[in-house]
Amino acid sequence: MSIETISEQRCFGGVQGTYRHISRETGGAMRFSVYRPPAAEDGPVPVLYYLAGLTCTEETFPIKAGAQRVASELGLMLVAPDTSPRDTGIEGITTDWDFGEGAGFYLDATQAPYAERFRMYSYVVEELPALIAGQQPVDVARTGIFGHSMGGHGALTIALKNPGRYRSVSAFAPIVAPAQVPWGEKALPRYLGDDRAAWGAYDATALVREGRRFDGTILIDQGDADQFLAGQLRPEVFEEACREAGQPLELRMQAGYDHSYWFIQSFVEDHLRHHARALRG
Amino acid sequence: MSIETISEQRCFGGVQGTYRHISRETGGAMRFSVYRPPAAEDGPVPVLYYLAGLTCTEETFPIKAGAQRVASELGLMLVAPDTSPRDTGIEGITTDWDFGEGAGFYLDATQAPYAERFRMYSYVVEELPALIAGQQPVDVARTGIFGHSMGGHGALTIALKNPGRYRSVSAFAPIVAPAQVPWGEKALPRYLGDDRAAWGAYDATALVREGRRFDGTILIDQGDADQFLAGQLRPEVFEEACREAGQPLELRMQAGYDHSYWFIQSFVEDHLRHHARALRG
């Protein structure tokens, strides 16, 4: 697999890089960003994947979240993929901000014309980690995952569906029950078909209700001034499912915070330390 | 003066805001951003102005520098103006990235057709601080200034030209001798005319050589992998002038860092603490 380096720049003693490769899973060019901490010069380091939300790219997290300082201190590598395949040429695929390019929902689509390229689940779970393991000094046994909004949905579902693969998981303002909210009700039938039974495979609340568990405490931060809280996010639905299932969950409601990266940067240090406790232990 | 609030969002317990007003000095609408730390709820706080570089806006610093965390801790207000007037309608004024809109060089132009609107010096030194003092809980006696590249030039020249007004000054990769480098040799004659004598009023090295002093140590960070180091920045020119003049200067060369905000975010905490020592003392 050939990887093209777009840029590599010094940041907090480490390197912030952007790379490009041709993806087998998504059938086209994909970009991803990596923050390599100084500790990576001395040997393999734990790796933490970040999944971004609707409309975002591989640039959003490194530019807006302010996570490199703590990652440098803790010796964590940060990897952020794009949020979907790009330049798919599918008719109307860039028309909506909450469906299509920039809105891959971290699933493997089964419906035409999306099934061939919209395979972000397999990309994030299989292809990208293999690529990273071949390129960067990572200890793959120490992998964590987190994300924001649609990316929080991705992190939660991916961690629940792959027991043992991720040692830690957290989310900022995640979509926790896509099958029950407008964003999911719009995207899931297009990607997965009208049979709602298929949607449950990519719904964190449904996964917990059907018996999936994460071996550890899930950390979620949610702003109580988030404009999407009542309509799209509904963390109480996931909280109830976790309580009934005995799944450890720390849901922190943060007073006055909205859905933005101003919110994320305010709490990203807590999340990195949460992951470091599991990854460095 | 009427100020329009574009946005206000919670960040590190304070508020990140963007505002718009009609500027007397620049003859049109100007935007600026403010980070108001939690301490501002209890009374006036010190205020630190940040001047951005070529092509930047009032958004660049708050989004990319990661300064709010430390400003929250230290109780510093951060104010970032735009880098020039906008929508001036002057022919060709948006053609170049290093002259015109986005490249106001923090001076008061004297030449037509720029003189009427390109008055960023008076805007930053007089109009904006008066506006902030009327809108925000600031202790104007405790004001500092810093900036990056063209904005570092702005911070240094403004601090040198206004003794007693700023208690602290610092810069990232500043233009220190615009009259001697291509960026200045392009912009200064257009804004100020062909007589080089007029350029010295906006040249930090020339100001120090003619006897201007800052009452305190000037802090400068400069990456040694900066693509503009040898051609446009030349900190050694300013260093020599300061040494000969007895102007205290701490110039730190940072190995491997370039001209980007990855560099700025790596050292912004040091700068905020430098300012806080002077502003809170």
Side-chain angles (χ1 to χ4, degrees):
Chain A
M1 288 176 290
S2 131
I3 301 173
E4 176 190 357
T5 299
I6 305 291
S7 62
E8 289 190 331
Q9 296 171 271
R10 181 73 55 191
C11 184
F12 284 105
V15 177
Q16 181 67 47
T18 303
Y19 308 92
R20 181 179 176 277
H21 73 117
I22 304 301
S23 163
R24 179 188 69 241
E25 291 292 349
T26 71
M30 294 290 292
R31 285 176 179 238
F32 60 94
S33 69
V34 173
Y35 178 69
R36 192 163 69 241
E41 292 174 18
D42 304 321
V45 294
V47 57
L48 183 54
Y49 287 84
Y50 179 88
L51 306 181
L54 293 165
T55 77
C56 294
T57 73
E58 79 289 346
E59 285 192 326
T60 314
F61 176 74
I63 290 177
K64 294 188 168 180
Q68 291 90 344
R69 178 185 60 88
V70 185
S72 173
E73 176 200 326
L74 297 174
L76 297 178
M77 184 170 296
L78 303 173
V79 178
D82 200 351
T83 52
S84 78
R86 300 285 176 177
D87 302 317
T88 59
I90 298 172
E91 191 180 340
I93 205 69
T94 60
T95 305
D96 297 347
W97 65 275
D98 54 0
F99 175 76
E101 293 186 18
F105 277 86
Y106 304 102
L107 50 73
D108 286 348
T110 58
Q111 306 296 302
Y114 313 111
E116 195 176 338
R117 306 255 343 240
F118 283 79
R119 295 181 53 77
M120 288 300 290
Y121 177 81
S122 289
Y123 179 74
V124 168
V125 174
E126 304 289 351
E127 184 175 10
L128 183 58
L131 198 74
I132 294 294
Q135 183 203 26
Q136 301 285 348
V138 289
D139 176 357
V140 295
R142 296 186 290 160
T143 298
I145 192 165
F146 68 150
H148 171 231
S149 196
M150 176 184 75
H153 145 77
L156 294 175
T157 53
I158 284 170
L160 286 165
K161 287 160 73 80
N162 294 278
R165 188 182 290 249
Y166 300 92
R167 280 205 199 174
S168 54
V169 61
S170 74
F172 300 96
I175 304 171
V176 295
Q180 302 181 43
V181 304
W183 278 334
E185 288 169 336
K186 175 177 180 175
L188 297 181
R190 299 187 192 187
Y191 287 133
L192 302 173
D194 289 329
D195 181 2
R196 284 177 171 257
W199 303 3
Y202 298 106
D203 182 302
T205 300
L207 289 167
V208 168
R209 289 212 177 279
E210 74 177 32
R212 305 285 190 136
R213 296 289 178 273
F214 180 75
D215 182 19
T217 297
I218 298 169
L219 172 63
I220 293 178
D221 272 318
Q222 172 65 59
D224 74 2
D226 187 322
Q227 57 270 44
F228 300 115
L229 178 55
Q232 304 279 10
L233 303 177
R234 302 179 62 189
E236 71 282 358
V237 172
F238 187 62
E239 188 177 36
E240 186 185 345
C242 287
R243 188 171 50 238
E244 292 179 1
Q247 168 64 54
L249 167 70
E250 183 176 7
L251 170 61
R252 311 192 307 183
M253 297 302 294
Q254 302 291 3
Y257 288 89
D258 67 13
H259 201 64
S260 70
Y261 275 78
W262 308 119
F263 158 63
I264 293 175
Q265 68 169 251
S266 300
F267 299 101
V268 74
E269 178 166 357
D270 290 357
H271 284 242
L272 264 59
R273 293 192 186 283
H274 166 83
H275 288 274
R277 280 190 292 275
L279 297 175
R280 300 170 77 202
Chain B
M1 289 176 291
S2 132
I3 302 174
E4 177 190 355
T5 299
I6 305 292
S7 62
E8 290 189 331
Q9 296 172 270
R10 181 72 57 189
C11 184
F12 284 104
V15 177
Q16 180 67 47
T18 303
Y19 308 92
R20 181 179 176 277
H21 73 116
I22 303 301
S23 162
R24 179 188 69 241
E25 291 293 350
T26 71
M30 294 290 291
R31 286 176 179 238
F32 60 94
S33 70
V34 174
Y35 178 69
R36 192 163 69 241
E41 292 173 19
D42 304 322
V45 294
V47 57
L48 183 54
Y49 288 85
Y50 179 88
L51 306 182
L54 293 166
T55 77
C56 293
T57 74
E58 79 289 345
E59 285 191 327
T60 314
F61 176 74
I63 289 176
K64 293 188 170 182
Q68 292 91 344
R69 178 185 60 88
V70 185
S72 172
E73 176 200 325
L74 297 174
L76 297 178
M77 184 170 299
L78 303 173
V79 178
D82 201 350
T83 52
S84 78
R86 300 285 176 178
D87 302 317
T88 59
I90 298 172
E91 191 178 341
I93 204 69
T94 59
T95 305
D96 296 347
W97 66 275
D98 54 2
F99 175 76
E101 294 188 18
F105 277 85
Y106 305 102
L107 50 74
D108 286 347
T110 57
Q111 305 297 301
Y114 313 113
E116 195 175 338
R117 307 253 345 237
F118 283 78
R119 295 182 53 78
M120 288 301 290
Y121 177 80
S122 290
Y123 178 75
V124 168
V125 174
E126 303 290 350
E127 185 176 10
L128 184 58
L131 198 75
I132 294 294
Q135 183 203 27
Q136 301 285 349
V138 289
D139 177 357
V140 295
R142 295 186 291 160
T143 297
I145 192 165
F146 67 150
H148 171 231
S149 194
M150 177 184 75
H153 145 76
L156 294 175
T157 54
I158 285 171
L160 287 165
K161 285 159 75 79
N162 295 277
R165 189 182 290 249
Y166 300 91
R167 282 206 198 171
S168 54
V169 62
S170 74
F172 300 97
I175 303 170
V176 295
Q180 302 181 44
V181 302
W183 279 334
E185 288 170 336
K186 175 176 180 176
L188 298 181
R190 299 187 192 187
Y191 286 134
L192 302 173
D194 288 330
D195 181 1
R196 284 176 171 258
W199 304 2
Y202 298 105
D203 182 304
T205 300
L207 288 167
V208 168
R209 290 212 177 279
E210 75 176 33
R212 304 284 190 137
R213 296 289 178 272
F214 180 76
D215 182 19
T217 298
I218 298 170
L219 171 63
I220 293 178
D221 272 317
Q222 172 64 58
D224 74 2
D226 188 321
Q227 58 269 46
F228 301 115
L229 177 55
Q232 303 278 9
L233 303 176
R234 302 178 60 188
E236 70 283 359
V237 172
F238 187 61
E239 188 178 35
E240 186 184 344
C242 287
R243 186 172 51 239
E244 292 180 1
Q247 167 65 53
L249 167 70
E250 183 178 5
L251 170 61
R252 311 192 308 182
M253 297 302 294
Q254 303 289 2
Y257 288 87
D258 67 12
H259 201 64
S260 70
Y261 274 78
W262 307 120
F263 158 62
I264 294 174
Q265 70 169 251
S266 299
F267 299 101
V268 74
E269 177 166 356
D270 290 356
H271 284 244
L272 265 59
R273 294 192 186 282
H274 167 82
H275 288 275
R277 279 190 293 275
L279 297 176
R280 299 169 76 204

